[in-house]
Amino acid sequence: MSDTAPRTKRRYGTRPTMKDVAARAGVGLKTVSRVVNSEPGVTPDTVRRVQESIDALGFRRNDSARVLRKGRTASIGLVLEDLADPFYGPMSRAVEETARAHGALLIHGSSAEDAGREQELVLALCARRVDGLVIVPASDDHRYLEPEIAAGVATVFVDRPAGRIEADAVLTDSFTGARDGVAHLIAHGHRRIGFIGDQPRIHTASERHRGYLAAMAEADLPVDASWVALGSTEPERVRSATVAMLQGPQPVTALFCGNNRVTVTAVRVLNGWLRPVALVGFDDFELADLLSPAVTVIAQDSAQLGRTAAEQLFRRLEGGVAEEPMSFLLPTRLIPRGSGELPPAEAV
């Protein structure tokens, strides 16, 4: 016969508890609690036996429950549009750093711009008892969140506002940024300016389209329907729209692109084009300053968006703000690099 104590067979996914540690070490549950929390009143020999049991069983303290008992936030959820989009990297990092500074764990996921997937992910996070949520919304109807918010789940929307509910929102001033970018092209002599944007149902896309129209109207310039293309950011769609604008009966001499993915595809089309075409993009992107010409952009600070949203979330959790929802509108800045300063060139 073996001289070792039989091990209890565990089902997959179960975790050892303090009761398991107490049983193996032959001590009471309170003694294990004292050892785990480094409290006095336990003999060295008992500490050794408890620690050996902890190591043998692979026990881990439930920090989430402990932190919640102390009244502090244990975890928050972050729901982004696309984890692979470089725009969201700095935002995610800023939220994570803010959460860590408050002793909280960040759990994040991607909605892939799908309203159903967003709802599924958000409700899954709520079921796991996150204390707060930072959401880049894909849906335009967030009434499904009302019971969770009423139950105390603090929620802040970032980049786009909530749909059909009142909630905190941290946004970039997309309207003013787009208006400034198009006005910059107009100031450099352009009169036929194309706009390629994201899907019009998306708040940022519609605001940037509105800014484009405002700049054209302020300069008393007409807008031909063939100069505007709203839709998905899939490269093939953007490529087709760009070529159509450049080859149309009234070809544009400049382009304003509604986000970084659109701009990257437009740059590929313009590379080697027969005539120079001015370009301004909304959102900066990696290596934009190294292209020839370097790309002029309307830059927004995605890290500041995330940081502001996370700080507001923790103010909510700590009860440090009024109950009424609050909105934050962050400015953009124009970075002239060369592509937006090209003069108009007539079609060859």
Side-chain angles (χ1 to χ4, degrees), residues 172-180 207-208 210-212 214 218:
T172 292
D173 191 352
S174 288
F175 169 80
T176 301
R179 186 181 64 184
D180 291 348
E207 283 294 283
R208 292 166 196 175
R210 194 167 68 87
Y212 161 80
E218 288 167 7

Side-chain angles (χ1 to χ4, degrees), residues 31-61:
T31 299
V32 175
S33 178
R34 284 175 174 166
V35 173
V36 167
N37 293 292
S38 302
E39 296 175 0
V42 184
T43 66
D45 182 67
T46 301
V47 169
R48 179 186 56 76
R49 285 191 290 123
V50 170
Q51 192 59 56
E52 286 176 352
S53 296
I54 287 172
D55 294 340
L57 294 172
F59 170 80
R60 295 292 182 271
R61 182 174 62 184

Side-chain angles (χ1 to χ4, degrees), residues 181-214:
V182 176
H184 184 73
L185 290 168
I186 293 170
H188 283 80
H190 296 277
R191 299 295 177 263
R192 299 196 303 273
I193 302 171
F195 176 82
I196 306 176
D198 209 333
Q199 300 177 65
R201 66 175 180 79
I202 298 173
H203 173 79
T204 50
S206 64
E207 283 294 283
R208 292 166 196 175
H209 180 216
R210 194 167 68 87
Y212 161 80
L213 294 175

Side-chain angles (χ1 to χ4, degrees), residues 288-301:
D289 58 328
L290 299 181
L291 297 173
S292 182
V295 181
T296 297
V297 297
I298 299 296
Q300 57 176 327
D301 192 339

Side-chain angles (χ1 to χ4, degrees), residues 24-312:
R24 192 178 194 284
V27 299
L29 188 60
K30 191 170 183 178
T31 299
V32 175
S33 178
R34 284 175 174 166
V35 173
V36 167
N37 293 292
S38 302
E39 296 175 0
V42 184
T43 66
D45 182 67
T46 301
V47 169
R48 179 186 56 76
R49 285 191 290 123
V50 170
Q51 192 59 56
E52 286 176 352
S53 296
I54 287 172
D55 294 340
L57 294 172
F59 170 80
R60 295 292 182 271
R61 182 174 62 184
N62 187 344
D63 283 325
S64 176
R66 180 178 64 89
V67 170
L68 283 171
R69 285 196 297 272
K70 290 187 175 183
R72 294 189 287 111
T73 303
S75 62
I76 64 170
L78 172 62
V79 178
L80 301 170
E81 175 200 349
D82 183 359
L83 290 171
D85 188 330
F87 173 77
Y88 293 112
M91 179 188 293
S92 178
R93 179 66 178 269
V95 174
E96 184 176 21
E97 288 176 349
T98 305
R100 185 171 182 176
H102 286 80
L105 174 71
L106 178 67
I107 306 169
H108 53 62
S110 171
S111 69
E113 200 59 70
D114 182 279
R117 183 166 168 177
E118 175 209 290
Q119 180 173 342
E120 180 183 359
L121 179 57
V122 167
L123 293 180
L125 289 167
C126 290
R128 285 158 176 75
R129 306 297 294 274
V130 295
D131 298 275
L133 293 164
V134 174
I135 302 174
V136 176
S139 172
D140 56 7
D141 187 350
H142 292 93
R143 288 176 293 178
Y144 71 85
L145 258 173
E146 287 179 332
E148 308 299 335
I149 294 173
V153 179
T155 305
V156 178
F157 289 80
V158 64
D159 192 43
R160 310 166 188 173
R164 307 187 73 175
I165 65 170
E166 296 295 322
D168 291 334
V170 180
L171 312 174
T172 292
D173 191 352
S174 288
F175 169 80
T176 301
R179 186 181 64 184
D180 291 348
V182 176
H184 184 73
L185 290 168
I186 293 170
H188 283 80
H190 296 277
R191 299 295 177 263
R192 299 196 303 273
I193 302 171
F195 176 82
I196 306 176
D198 209 333
Q199 300 177 65
R201 66 175 180 79
I202 298 173
H203 173 79
T204 50
S206 64
E207 283 294 283
R208 292 166 196 175
H209 180 216
R210 194 167 68 87
Y212 161 80
L213 294 175
M216 297 292 278
E218 288 167 7
D220 292 321
L221 294 176
V223 175
D224 191 272
S226 66
W227 299 350
V228 176
L230 302 175
S232 79
T233 59
E234 289 297 317
E236 190 52 47
R237 199 281 302 186
V238 175
R239 186 179 298 109
S240 296
T242 304
V243 171
M245 288 183 192
L246 298 176
Q247 293 181 334
Q250 289 187 294
V252 300
T253 63
L255 290 171
F256 183 82
C257 296
N259 64 32
N260 57 353
R261 284 169 288 185
V262 173
T263 305
V264 168
T265 300
V267 167
R268 291 193 171 108
V269 174
L270 295 178
N271 182 34
W273 196 255
L274 293 177
R275 59 187 169 88
V277 177
L279 173 68
V280 174
F282 203 110
D283 293 332
D284 205 355
F285 59 96
E286 191 173 7
L287 304 182
D289 58 328
L290 299 181
L291 297 173
S292 182
V295 181
T296 297
V297 297
I298 299 296
Q300 57 176 327
D301 192 339
S302 62
Q304 187 60 37
L305 279 169
R307 189 176 304 108
T308 303
E311 288 171 350
Q312 175 65 6

